[in-house]
Amino acid sequence: MSHPTDTDNSQNRVPTPGEESTAPGEESTASDASADSPSPSRWRTVMRSGRNVGEFSISFKALISGVVVLAMASAIGVLGWRLHSESARLDSVHTEAENSARAEQVALDYSTAAAQMNFQDLSAWRIRLTKGTSQELSGRLTQAATSMEQIIVPLQWVSTATPIAAKVRSENNGAYSVDCFVSILTKNSQAPEGIQSTATYQLNIDSRDNWTITDIGGIGSAMGAGTAPR
């Protein structure tokens, strides 16, 4: 008669209280689950990898933002420079137009005043003739007036003038050359009904010296062609 072996007894043994029984195959399942579960070191590696990816993403975004800001600042700088340049150009054009207009007005006012004369009040005419002129030109005009008075008085000369137009011929470093046109009505003892004529003056004006008239030339004048003061 055969006796049961220890192996058979161990397989048929009833677990004692507090002892867990392990079914066949459970041990392999537990070991597989343990193998599949990431270890703490693997978790740390994954977390560090995630942080690195996040930090790289933030750094890349910051780089893109910096490039965009730099591009915008550059564009604004270029735009500001262009606006400043255009503003300076417009200011220059505006100033040049204002100066030309002033030179024309100075020339027209002077020519109109100088063309008006009355043999009964020659002192007022001399004042108008030399007003706003340089010292050297004033001396020349005074001499010319003395010569003209020898004709004006005997003929009882009276002239009235009306401005027509003035135009800047040229400008050089603040010195303007202006053509000026004045309509003149002249009456004297030989033409009591009056003679209408147009006088053309050429004036040089220095804007750097308070818009002083430095020279006068003319083709035609209150006394006829070729007698404008020089």
Side-chain angles (χ1 to χ4, degrees):
M1 184 178 67
S2 61
H3 296 280
T5 64
D6 294 338
T7 302
D8 293 336
N9 293 333
S10 64
Q11 290 178 350
N12 296 324
R13 185 173 58 86
V14 177
T16 59
E19 181 181 1
E20 294 182 356
S21 62
T22 302
E26 287 185 357
E27 293 181 358
S28 62
T29 303
S31 62
D32 291 343
S34 175
D36 291 339
S37 299
S39 65
S41 62
R42 289 184 61 188
W43 277 113
R44 286 194 295 270
T45 301
V46 170
M47 291 178 66
R48 283 198 298 269
S49 176
R51 283 198 299 270
N52 291 337
V53 171
E55 291 174 357
F56 175 78
S57 177
I58 294 173
S59 299
F60 183 73
K61 290 180 180 179
L63 177 61
I64 294 298
S65 300
V67 171
V68 171
V69 171
L70 181 61
M72 290 179 63
S74 178
I76 292 173
V78 171
L79 180 60
W81 178 82
R82 288 183 177 178
L83 289 175
H84 176 74
S85 178
E86 182 64 15
S87 177
R89 187 188 69 83
L90 292 176
D91 288 344
S92 177
V93 171
H94 182 67
T95 299
E96 182 178 348
E98 283 187 340
N99 289 340
S100 294
R102 182 168 182 178
E104 291 170 353
Q105 192 62 53
V106 169
L108 196 59
D109 289 346
Y110 172 84
S111 299
T112 302
Q116 299 185 74
M117 62 181 71
N118 188 317
F119 73 99
Q120 294 179 330
D121 189 10
L122 293 178
S123 60
W125 173 61
R126 292 193 202 97
I127 293 173
R128 292 193 298 271
L129 192 64
T130 57
K131 183 179 180 179
T133 63
S134 65
Q135 185 175 357
E136 189 272 336
L137 179 59
S138 179
R140 288 164 46 196
L141 292 172
T142 299
Q143 293 178 359
T146 301
S147 300
M148 292 171 64
E149 288 173 6
Q150 299 176 11
I151 301 173
I152 294 172
V153 174
L155 291 177
Q156 299 181 352
W157 201 283
V158 177
S159 295
T160 56
T162 304
I164 298 177
K167 183 65 178 177
V168 171
R169 177 194 293 265
S170 63
E171 184 272 335
N172 183 19
N173 196 26
Y176 290 83
S177 177
V178 185
D179 292 336
C180 192
F181 305 92
V182 179
S183 176
I184 301 175
L185 177 62
T186 301
K187 296 181 180 181
N188 54 48
S189 59
Q190 296 181 356
E193 69 283 0
I195 300 174
Q196 190 73 45
S197 63
T198 299
T200 304
Y201 297 98
Q202 298 169 355
L203 289 78
N204 292 339
I205 302 172
D206 189 355
S207 65
R208 300 162 301 180
D209 188 19
N210 197 27
W211 301 92
T212 298
I213 300 169
T214 58
D215 196 16
I216 301 173
I219 304 174
S221 69
M223 298 186 67
T227 59
R230 293 187 63 85

